Amino acid sequence: MTDVQMQDANGDANGSTAYGKAAVNGLLKEESKPAAPKQTNKEDLQLVLQSFRLLIADLCQQFGMGHPGGAIGMAAFGVALWKYTMRYAPHSPDWFNRDRFILSNGHTCLFQYANLYLSGYKAMTWEQLLSYHSERPDSLCPGHPEIEHEGIELTTGPLGQGISNAVGLAIATKHLAATFNRPGYEVVNNHTWCSIGDACLQEGVGCEALSYAGHLKLNNLTVIYDNNQITCDGSVDLTNTEDVNKKVEACGWEVIDVMDGVNDIEGIVAALEKGRDPNRTKPLFINVRSIIGVGSAVAGQAVSHGAPLGKDNVAAMKKAYGWDTEKVFHIPDKVKNFYADIPARGEKHVQEWNDLLARYNNEHPDLSKTFKDRMAGNLPDNWASMIPSSFPSDPTPSRKSNNMVVGKIFAECPTFMVGTADLTPSVNMTWPSYEIFNPPDLKPISGKQGSYKGRYIHYGIREHVMAAIANGLAAYSPRTIIPITSTFFMFYLYAAPAVRMGALQKLKVIHVATHDSIGAGEDGPTHQPVELAALYRAMPNMEYIRPGDSEEVAGAWKRAIEYEGGPTMISVSRQAIPQLSGLTSRDGVARGAYVLREEKVADVTLISAGAELSFARDVAAVLEREHKLKARVVSFPCYKLFREQPLSYQRSVLRRNEGIPAVVIEPYVSLGWERWADAGVNMKGFGHSLPGKYIYQHFGFETGVMAGRVGDFVREFEGGKVGRGDFVEL
Amino acid sequence: MTDVQMQDANGDANGSTAYGKAAVNGLLKEESKPAAPKQTNKEDLQLVLQSFRLLIADLCQQFGMGHPGGAIGMAAFGVALWKYTMRYAPHSPDWFNRDRFILSNGHTCLFQYANLYLSGYKAMTWEQLLSYHSERPDSLCPGHPEIEHEGIELTTGPLGQGISNAVGLAIATKHLAATFNRPGYEVVNNHTWCSIGDACLQEGVGCEALSYAGHLKLNNLTVIYDNNQITCDGSVDLTNTEDVNKKVEACGWEVIDVMDGVNDIEGIVAALEKGRDPNRTKPLFINVRSIIGVGSAVAGQAVSHGAPLGKDNVAAMKKAYGWDTEKVFHIPDKVKNFYADIPARGEKHVQEWNDLLARYNNEHPDLSKTFKDRMAGNLPDNWASMIPSSFPSDPTPSRKSNNMVVGKIFAECPTFMVGTADLTPSVNMTWPSYEIFNPPDLKPISGKQGSYKGRYIHYGIREHVMAAIANGLAAYSPRTIIPITSTFFMFYLYAAPAVRMGALQKLKVIHVATHDSIGAGEDGPTHQPVELAALYRAMPNMEYIRPGDSEEVAGAWKRAIEYEGGPTMISVSRQAIPQLSGLTSRDGVARGAYVLREEKVADVTLISAGAELSFARDVAAVLEREHKLKARVVSFPCYKLFREQPLSYQRSVLRRNEGIPAVVIEPYVSLGWERWADAGVNMKGFGHSLPGKYIYQHFGFETGVMAGRVGDFVREFEGGKVGRGDFVEL
């Protein structure tokens, strides 16, 4: 296809090319438009591809490690993206309206590193590129792309995550565009490009992402399928023989085939330009046939995936290309020149956008101010004052306390995009005037019609992609959108790989986990997360908070909205729980644990948290009345926050250093509590299906029973029968 | 469609009906064939449906809890399955060759309980049926179906699990049939039926199941989609507008539509009979349009899903049906009679199969003996002797030790079906003559052609469904198949919801988790599971074992194969680790922890496990040489096994009661170890991308550095600066 034909092909579809359309909106003038591939002769393009492939091969050879095959096979669509299609600015890597690129097949990270180097990202120096798999801990070329580094939008690697993040990025664009764009002023119109391999199509979370992106009609999202038909175990057909195009079409995508993904840069560019066509009504899936490790002796074979090609193979590749077999890490000047215009072109994109923004500011000054605040990640100054200073004293399910605490904030601060995995009636995360995020032309059989301005997301019964999309929303730009997810706590196990990726990337996502502990009652052990808290309490950067009443729920949200080091999970009850008014403290939550009831001379410290906090208070009363034992009571909503307190504070709360034994009461398994307690009234196995009013009793969480056990333990401890270091399961 | 037409429809397709075909193989004679729906008049069938719906409505009304809508909507295909289609024996619920039914939409459990009652399962008495959501802890009617109870094949509830389990059950049938059936002797030919709702189609694990079942051409699997277009949040189109039939077809399924799922029992039966047609080459997906809560005032609405319909609504339903509105829990005699023949018919199925087995025993005595052993769950008596008594002394990756330990067992004991999520070259779980489980007509581009006799399963990059399918394989019949799964430890987080379901059901599944701790090195923090062990150490019934060298790997496998209380996860290293020959002990593994090196008068106990066990030994040597401190060393491969030891043994291993401080060395976060140690050299955050030889050093796991920190701690502990109860992160 010639360049002219390409223009025609675009023109046929929508009356103007994507670039033409954008220019109308003042975004792109002729000078910032990249030259089409036709303007470079075929031999030079071949040299660029050869150079790229050999660079990858040499980089893996250097330290005898790495994943060469995929990156080599993807060379042509690297050129198509970085040279011809994407709008980005290597010297302004954080430009707000840049196109986002996600490498969902993250093990091919060299593909991205080499393209970042070639297109002129300043941080990715030649020396840095060569540090791949070296001993340098400060290498910008880790084994998978990491968000901390210039030009990388999100950390990828665990398969299926990147494509889900890309859906989040595309939602962010859609939402911000619907909110802030005005006729003639497309201040947000970036495109999201995502490359995937076979794995992202097999992983469940990838399937969820395809299904939901199709439903949302995200026409600003293009997925490039590196279809090399090879995975670690061999050819894909060993394990997957589905009709990928048909499946993706069934999910609501448009599909384009590119038959020669190895060399047909023009064809790939034409397909990618279809992606940017604003008249498309669906996300675009480009099925690019490629060859893993192409040009080498192991081309098309699984062995080229995860290990260097081998010295002789690389030499043979160079020979076949007519290159000097002795030269390593060689990039011909012609290739360097080929990429040389990209930084300047990028700065022109930025300048044009800045000019647009200046005109937008004149025409729509109020909107422009809000937009700038959102870009800067500012919440309204008075957000904290929207949290009530006190709460009703009657027993309240803490899932309802949530809404009392943040309902007004959600309604008034457009930064928050709140979603649920099909549990709207259970999680209480809506507000009176909430609008659904959905394609504006969708008229659902039940429920409200939505729009892309909507901030309430029905993720469907797709917990995993919900959390992964939230990561994408959060990564679009810091605090421009703060995503909230919600489902039963138990089903954050489905979402866990994505929640973890948020923690690893320190992304500001707030997860609302309802129906925690065993209060799910009659739903039974499949819905009672007795062991799951251990995972989130162990997860670095994650603040897992179990607030004990509405006041503590207020503390949990205040902390969550202020916390910039990663995600928060607020873990709340299904059932109504007593309000410990006058005892609980929102500031106490921020310290992780605090004293709820002090006794100068004490026999025992009772620790509890969340839905069962009142149990500790009640047991203390019975211990005093019936067992003549003085009990202190500690509320302990968050391990991480308490671990970060100085030892002196920790000791003042627990007073174990004074020889007072501590007993925890929580219907999770004890694992984790042994750090803070000497004994525990905990679950010893999975839960049971019994209505809420019977379930606690069934497992011995009755006040009298617990007091008896604690009393026995205190006497054994005082008598030296058990000591510190013998954690006792009561 | 008349009965005759139904027969013709079947006949057209394959020359004989499914029943006719089975009869040829001696399985079903005329007398055990159920009457077709036509033989019951339409009014009586309506009475049966009404009776069923009202029973469900009354059961939810009784205690004001429950999920009525789905079960009510599914009434007609309940009749089609239990009365007309499934081959099962209520009075012999464990009959080996019974059809399996899985309720993947497990919240509609009343559907199954009511059908179990009506079809005559002995345990499901009238009194038991009425105990749904009562205070009885021994109720056979928990909030989701549970494997422990007669007529329930697997516990379901977490969405997407059941359909994945069903794939496992269908694989089990295919494999046993290929292994044991002979011409004229179909000793294994049961069908697996699975009902799903919209959720199972949205959940990622359900998508993985559809894709893989289609690939495997499991023509013995029928999925019945209760297509009521309603989920908790409202109509499905709020969140999912994909073309389900097209998507499922793209995954390799045959699709049949049933347009009236509310009343058209004949149409459903005709579709189900297609499912059993042995000439079909694909799994069957029946898209049944139903109406949630049909017949009630809230029919077709989300509110009928998870709460009782309401007293007035139920009365109105009864009135509309012409029933006495005052009567509750009424089942007319006509309805009872309708189901009355089922137990006897079931016993005939069993008798015919027993007769077949007797003839099979005469004709194929050796095979019959093996088959009986497999049905009884017997391994060869000498399996344990196939584990080598000693191992090479050079450093060995414990992922390779695995193969040394069990390679011969896998090769010689056909009970084991071993699979991987596309990591064959990494997990080392094959044996020389292994055969792949795949459709026999599949000729993959690379790799070997397989068959249904194959015992090596390429699950693809689908960790979650791998673990869920393994649960189905294990549940087919106890120990007839022992499934092994394998992937990197980190990606058992993707599989975690299914691994948990295995633990909850005490299913014998062995998970092989390679690349544990931070040894994945250059793959970086996305592949370094620093917090994941906390989850599996906390999970009830799960034995998470980190063996420290080949000898301990032998101990781990011996325990795993013997353990009948749930799954095991054997967690091994990517990298070569020293062999502690003469110190380590396979019997020690079975006790969870044991002393590796004793010191009568000791300053500290060093604890370690897995890939880093040798670190403790080495640190002990440096402590003695350079710090003049005597260190004991404890190997601690499994929390659960150690927790189950008597206190006296625990104290003899740890000797903390003698005042000796304990320090753990493990590059996971410390959470969990605080029970057993006073300080830890642990990870404090996520990992980092650095090649294996640099990663330990980067995080301070060098012998000298660790010894210095431990020495400092011991002096602080002895000086009283920190005490027991102040866990110190070194």
Side-chain angles (χ1 to χ4, degrees), chain A residues 420-442:
Chain A
T420 181
D422 193 48
L423 286 170
T424 298
S426 300
V427 294
N428 300 296
M429 283 285 113
T430 57
W431 56 96
S433 61
Y434 80 93
E435 183 174 3
I436 296 169
F437 182 87
N438 245 339
D441 59 349
L442 177 79

Side-chain angles (χ1 to χ4, degrees), chain B residues 646-687:
Chain B
L647 182 62
S648 56
Y649 178 75
Q650 292 183 1
R651 284 180 163 180
S652 76
V653 171
L654 296 178
R655 291 177 58 193
R656 295 171 80 201
N657 60 316
E658 299 174 32
I660 304 171
V663 179
V664 63
I665 297 172
E666 189 184 53
Y668 288 154
V669 298
S670 61
L671 193 132
W673 282 113
E674 298 99 333
R675 178 163 181 159
W676 321 108
D678 301 288
V681 182
N682 298 112
M683 294 292 286
K684 294 179 183 67
F686 286 109

Side-chain angles (χ1 to χ4, degrees), chain B residues 402-459:
Chain B
N402 268 340
N403 202 294
M404 294 181 201
V405 169
V406 286
K408 193 167 154 67
I409 293 178
F410 289 173
E412 300 198 5
C413 304
T415 295
F416 294 92
M417 289 189 84
V418 183
T420 180
D422 193 48
L423 285 171
T424 299
S426 299
V427 295
N428 299 296
M429 283 284 115
T430 58
W431 57 97
S433 61
Y434 81 92
E435 184 175 3
I436 296 168
F437 182 87
N438 245 338
D441 59 350
L442 177 78
K443 293 184 176 64
I445 292 166
S446 84
K448 294 185 280 191
Q449 197 167 349
S451 84
Y452 291 134
K453 277 205 303 204
R455 295 191 288 113
Y456 190 80
I457 307 182
H458 287 287
Y459 285 104

Side-chain angles (χ1 to χ4, degrees), chain A residues 65 133-137 142-144 146 155-156 158-159 161 199 202-204 207-208 211-212 215 231-235 237-243 246-247 249-251 420 422-425 438 442 444-446 458-463 490-491 493-494 496-497 500-501 503-504 522-523 525-531 534-535 537-541 639 643 647 651 656 669-672 674-675 685-686 688-691 694 698 721-727 729, chain B residues 65 67 133-137 142-144 146 155-156 158-159 161 199 202-204 207-208 211-212 215 231-235 237-243 246-247 249-251 420 422-425 438 442 444-446 458-464 490-491 493-494 496-497 500-501 503-504 522-523 525-528 530-531 534 537-541 639 643 647 651 656 669-672 674-675 685-686 688-691 694 698 721-722 724-727 729:
Chain A
M65 282 176 273
H133 286 352
S134 73
E135 80 286 7
R136 286 183 61 169
H144 294 88
E146 295 182 1
T155 301
T156 54
L159 297 160
Q161 297 296 326
Q202 292 182 31
E203 288 287 5
C207 298
E208 294 179 8
S211 172
Y212 193 48
H215 168 79
T231 65
C232 293
D233 278 8
S235 56
D237 58 357
L238 272 170
T239 191
N240 196 20
T241 40
E242 67 193 16
D243 181 336
K246 182 173 173 179
K247 175 171 155 178
E249 278 174 1
C251 290
T420 181
D422 193 48
L423 286 170
T424 298
N438 245 339
L442 177 79
I445 292 167
S446 85
H458 288 287
Y459 285 104
I461 302 132
R462 304 183 183 101
E463 297 83 5
M490 189 68 252
F491 301 114
L493 188 56
Y494 275 64
R500 180 184 204 263
M501 289 300 291
L504 174 60
E522 67 273 13
D523 278 342
T526 57
H527 286 53
Q528 293 163 350
V530 297
E531 81 285 33
L535 175 68
R537 285 168 172 163
M539 188 174 280
N541 305 335
Y639 282 22
R643 269 202 315 264
L647 181 61
R651 284 181 164 181
R656 295 172 80 201
V669 298
S670 61
L671 193 133
E674 299 98 333
R675 178 165 181 157
F686 287 107
H688 197 80
S689 171
L690 271 174
Y694 308 114
H698 179 71
K721 209 170 151 194
V722 293
R724 193 146 279 167
D726 303 317
F727 185 87
E729 299 184 34
Chain B
M65 284 176 272
H67 287 77
H133 286 353
S134 73
E135 81 287 5
R136 285 182 60 168
H144 293 89
E146 295 182 0
T155 301
T156 54
L159 296 160
Q161 297 296 326
Q202 292 182 30
E203 289 285 6
C207 298
E208 294 180 8
S211 172
Y212 193 47
H215 169 79
T231 66
C232 293
D233 278 8
S235 56
D237 58 357
L238 272 171
T239 191
N240 197 20
T241 40
E242 68 193 15
D243 182 336
K246 183 173 172 180
K247 176 170 155 178
E249 277 174 359
C251 289
T420 180
D422 193 48
L423 285 171
T424 299
N438 245 338
L442 177 78
I445 292 166
S446 84
H458 287 287
Y459 285 104
I461 303 132
R462 304 182 185 102
E463 297 83 5
H464 196 169
M490 190 67 253
F491 300 115
L493 188 56
Y494 275 64
R500 180 184 204 262
M501 289 300 290
L504 174 59
E522 67 273 12
D523 278 341
T526 57
H527 286 53
Q528 293 163 350
V530 296
E531 82 284 34
R537 284 168 172 163
M539 189 173 280
N541 305 338
Y639 282 23
R643 268 202 315 265
L647 182 62
R651 284 180 163 180
R656 295 171 80 201
V669 298
S670 61
L671 193 132
E674 298 99 333
R675 178 163 181 159
F686 286 109
H688 197 80
S689 171
L690 271 175
Y694 308 114
H698 180 71
K721 209 171 151 191
V722 293
R724 192 147 281 166
D726 303 316
F727 185 87
E729 300 185 33

Side-chain angles (χ1 to χ4, degrees), chain B residues 103 142 188 266 424 461:
Chain B
L103 188 78
V188 184
E266 277 188 57
T424 299
I461 303 132

Side-chain angles (χ1 to χ4, degrees), chain A residues 178-196:
Chain A
T179 306
F180 292 108
N181 288 356
R182 290 294 179 272
Y185 297 95
E186 285 199 11
V187 293
V188 185
N189 68 353
N190 70 292
H191 199 85
T192 296
W193 311 92
C194 175
S195 77
I196 64 167

Side-chain angles (χ1 to χ4, degrees), chain B residues 66-78:
Chain B
H67 287 77
I72 287 173
M74 290 154 70
F77 63 83

Side-chain angles (χ1 to χ4, degrees), chain B residues 19 34 80-81 83-87 99 193 269 272-273 276:
Chain B
Y19 272 99
L81 281 165
K83 169 75 182 177
Y84 293 116
T85 309
M86 288 202 291
R87 289 186 203 152
D99 280 0
W193 312 92
V269 171
L272 294 172
E273 284 299 329
R276 209 196 286 283

